[in-house]
Amino acid sequence: MVASLSPVNAKEDLITEPPPAPAEVSGETAAHDEGGLIKDQDANLTDQDLRVERAEARTEQAETRTEQARTRTERAEKRTEQARTRTEQAEKRTEQAEARTEQAEARTEMSEQAIRGSELMYRRLFEAAKDGILILEADTGRISDVNPFLFNLLGFFPGEMIGKTVGELSPFKDIESNQVMLQQLQDHGYVRYEDLPLETRDGRHIAVEFVSNVYQAGDKAVIQCNIRDITERKRAEDEIRRLNADLEQRVVERTAQLQGANRELEAFSYSVSHDLRTPLRHVLGFVAILQKEAGPSLSEKSLVHLTTIFEAATRMGDLIDDLLAFSRIGKSPIQTTEVHLDQLVQEVLGDFQSDTKERNIAWDIHPLPPVRADRALLRMVLVNLISNAVKFTAARAQAKIEIGCNHGGEGESVIFIRDNGAGFDPLYAGKLFGVFQRLHTQAEFEGTGIGLANVQRIIHRHGGRVWAEGVVEGGATFYFSIPTNRSGEKKPGVKAV
């Protein structure tokens, strides 16, 4: 009987059953064969397991080697990618380097073009300049270039000047030696002759301004000399000096004439104050005696004549007094102080109280600024202008007089006095401030015609202005200005009212 064995691997189909033993030995022989077969089967199973294990080990090793190969392949691919990236970066850097090289070459070309353009422009300026230009070598002082203007000015040809020093040229024979000039340039970098006389080749005498400077041209120092023809300017200056001398002489002569006229005026003033006033007092005195002693015996017509003589003599006395005051205003020195106009106006108005107490006058007095002026003379100005305002509003039932200040020019205070009186024709405004100039008759408004002339003279002596505006029967406004910066002082501006 053959034992039944279960297959252990794919090779069990190779095991065949032994041939049947003879019957007489079937007992022991069968038993013996069965034990050997089992041993053979065990041995076969062991070999198969080893082979399987080895196969599995080799499979694992193969798989490991495959994984390692895959890893190496990935690394190789990564290195390849990195190498490709580096190659691309290198190519990009190469392109950038080539682009920078092209840009540098373009800039170099542009720079060379700019240098050539600058040199061309300099050359054109050098040749077109209306001043003479010399270019010298700094180490030797010899001329290396000359512009056409200097050739024409001095009458030389280029070959006669190039290579020589300035001192070797005949027009510059009076200039300091070449070595002295070079030493000055070395010490100061600058040499200037403001009025250098030169003689040209054709014998003309000219005056020039000679200026030398040292500057660096590349790797060497050069000297540039600019020579400007100032002959015409010198002639003009000489003519101005001559005219000034003539003017000074004329001023001296006119001053002497003015001094003589002033002396004559002083003599006239003395004559007026003594020679005219004395007989005038006699006239007034004798008229008064006649009126007193012979008055009862005289006819009414004769008394009228005596009254007319007395009034005329009195008015003449007033004119003489005003003329003397006018002459004294021009001679007396100005004593400037700080004048508070508010106080001065109130003081002047106090003088008119007796004359205006029976009048209906509406006074409108605005705040006034302080000014630098002669207080006594400024008081005369206000007295005259306020007096005129009071006088020319006499016919008004409701008189209005306003005193204030306006915006003037820079550095001045403008004061005005405005009334609603008789006014004047603006066509004759220029005559208002002249001596004895009157726009109204004595019968209409009394006065001597000196007051406004005094106002103008006082204000002019202070460096100010005076003017007036008016309309016939529409009132008048008189203005005067006082500088606020006399003696270097700056006063606050005037606020308009």
Side-chain angles (χ1 to χ4, degrees):
M1 178 179 180
V2 181
S4 175
L5 300 173
S6 59
V8 294
N9 54 37
K11 296 181 179 181
E12 62 185 1
D13 57 342
L14 298 176
I15 303 174
T16 60
E17 293 182 357
E24 61 272 10
V25 289
S26 60
E28 293 180 3
T29 302
H32 176 75
D33 292 339
E34 185 178 357
L37 180 58
I38 293 171
K39 289 181 180 180
D40 290 338
Q41 288 177 348
D42 291 340
N44 288 335
L45 290 173
T46 301
D47 290 339
Q48 289 175 359
D49 290 338
L50 289 174
R51 284 194 296 272
V52 169
E53 290 176 357
R54 289 172 181 169
E56 290 177 350
R58 284 195 295 273
T59 299
E60 291 177 358
Q61 291 175 356
E63 291 176 352
T64 300
R65 284 194 295 273
T66 300
E67 184 65 28
Q68 291 174 349
R70 185 181 297 110
T71 301
R72 286 194 295 272
T73 300
E74 292 176 354
R75 291 176 180 172
E77 290 175 352
K78 187 175 183 179
R79 286 195 295 272
T80 301
E81 184 65 26
Q82 292 174 347
R84 186 180 297 109
T85 301
R86 287 194 293 271
T87 300
E88 292 176 354
Q89 292 175 347
E91 291 175 351
K92 187 175 182 179
R93 286 195 294 271
T94 301
E95 292 175 357
Q96 292 175 346
E98 291 174 352
R100 286 195 293 269
T101 301
E102 292 176 357
Q103 292 174 355
E105 291 175 352
R107 284 196 295 270
T108 301
E109 180 65 23
M110 292 173 62
S111 178
E112 290 176 353
Q113 292 177 357
I115 291 173
R116 287 194 296 270
S118 177
E119 290 176 348
L120 179 60
M121 182 178 294
Y122 169 78
R123 195 66 197 176
R124 288 175 177 173
L125 291 174
F126 180 81
E127 294 178 351
K130 296 306 179 182
D131 289 338
I133 302 176
L134 286 173
I135 305 299
L136 313 179
E137 298 173 353
D139 52 349
T140 64
R142 295 193 175 278
I143 300 171
S144 61
D145 203 355
V146 185
N147 74 331
F149 183 87
L150 191 59
F151 290 133
N152 296 331
L153 179 65
L154 300 180
F156 284 85
F157 296 105
E160 298 174 304
M161 299 183 70
I162 302 297
K164 295 184 179 180
T165 66
V166 173
E168 292 174 347
L169 299 175
S170 60
F172 300 95
K173 60 184 178 181
D174 294 329
I175 202 172
E176 295 173 303
S177 69
N178 198 56
Q179 291 302 320
V180 172
M181 186 179 71
L182 290 177
Q183 186 62 44
Q184 289 182 355
L185 286 169
Q186 184 177 358
D187 294 340
H188 307 290
Y190 179 79
V191 172
R192 178 186 180 91
Y193 303 95
E194 294 187 359
D195 185 7
L196 183 66
L198 299 182
E199 183 177 354
T200 65
R201 189 170 188 174
D202 57 0
R204 291 182 299 109
H205 292 275
I206 61 174
V208 301
E209 182 182 67
F210 188 95
V211 180
S212 297
N213 293 281
V214 180
Y215 66 92
Q216 201 71 21
D219 58 350
K220 58 188 297 186
V222 298
I223 301 170
Q224 178 172 318
C225 302
N226 291 78
I227 302 169
R228 174 168 294 178
D229 185 2
I230 60 171
T231 306
E232 292 302 321
R233 189 179 79 188
K234 291 290 296 179
R235 289 175 182 168
E237 290 174 353
D238 292 341
E239 181 66 15
I240 291 173
R241 280 192 291 270
R242 185 187 66 79
L243 292 174
N244 285 338
D246 291 345
L247 181 59
E248 289 176 0
Q249 181 60 33
R250 292 181 182 179
V251 169
V252 170
E253 295 174 355
R254 295 293 188 273
T255 301
Q257 293 174 0
L258 182 60
Q259 289 174 345
N262 285 337
R263 286 192 294 269
E264 293 176 359
L265 182 59
E266 290 176 0
F268 170 75
S269 298
Y270 179 82
S271 175
V272 167
S273 61
H274 293 82
D275 298 344
L276 292 182
R277 288 171 65 86
T278 299
L280 189 60
R281 283 196 300 270
H282 291 167
V283 170
L284 290 172
F286 284 115
V287 168
I289 292 172
L290 284 174
Q291 287 177 332
K292 182 179 180 180
E293 295 181 354
S297 61
L298 293 176
S299 65
E300 185 177 348
K301 186 176 181 180
S302 297
L303 289 174
V304 171
H305 291 332
L306 282 177
T307 301
T308 302
I309 293 171
F310 182 83
E311 291 176 351
T314 302
R315 184 167 179 270
M316 185 176 180
D318 293 339
L319 286 172
I320 292 171
D321 291 339
D322 288 345
L323 277 175
L324 289 175
F326 182 76
S327 65
R328 283 195 295 268
I329 288 173
K331 293 187 295 183
S332 59
I334 292 179
Q335 304 294 330
T336 58
T337 59
E338 186 174 57
V339 179
H340 295 278
L341 285 175
D342 290 324
Q343 298 176 2
L344 187 58
V345 167
Q346 293 301 323
E347 179 183 318
V348 172
L349 291 178
D351 296 343
F352 291 92
Q353 285 184 354
S354 59
D355 297 329
T356 59
K357 62 182 180 180
E358 303 297 333
R359 296 270 309 275
N360 185 12
I361 301 178
W363 296 94
D364 186 8
I365 313 298
H366 298 274
L368 300 174
V371 295
R372 293 288 295 183
D374 187 305
R375 194 176 192 279
L377 293 179
L378 199 55
R379 191 179 193 280
M380 291 180 62
V381 170
L382 291 173
V383 167
N384 276 284
L385 294 179
I386 294 175
S387 174
N388 278 353
V390 170
K391 178 172 61 177
F392 287 101
T393 57
R396 297 290 184 263
Q398 175 65 65
K400 295 180 181 179
I401 300 176
E402 180 184 5
I403 303 174
C405 55
N406 276 343
H407 279 305
E410 184 178 356
E412 66 176 3
S413 296
V414 176
I415 311 301
F416 69 86
I417 298 175
R418 180 177 296 120
D419 64 70
N420 65 338
F424 59 87
D425 189 336
L427 293 175
Y428 302 104
K431 294 184 176 182
L432 287 172
F433 300 98
V435 179
F436 300 136
Q437 295 294 326
R438 291 174 53 85
L439 301 184
H440 301 87
T441 65
Q442 184 70 22
E444 291 177 307
F445 299 100
E446 63 179 10
T448 60
I450 299 293
L452 291 180
N454 281 335
V455 168
Q456 178 174 262
R457 195 168 195 183
I458 292 170
I459 296 303
H460 283 179
R461 291 198 65 194
H462 282 79
R465 303 175 295 136
V466 59
W467 68 100
E469 298 172 354
V471 178
V472 176
E473 297 302 327
T477 304
F478 286 83
Y479 301 88
F480 67 89
S481 69
I482 298 292
T484 57
N485 57 351
R486 292 180 64 84
S487 302
E489 296 182 351
K490 183 68 176 177
K491 296 298 179 181
V494 182
K495 184 178 180 181
V497 295

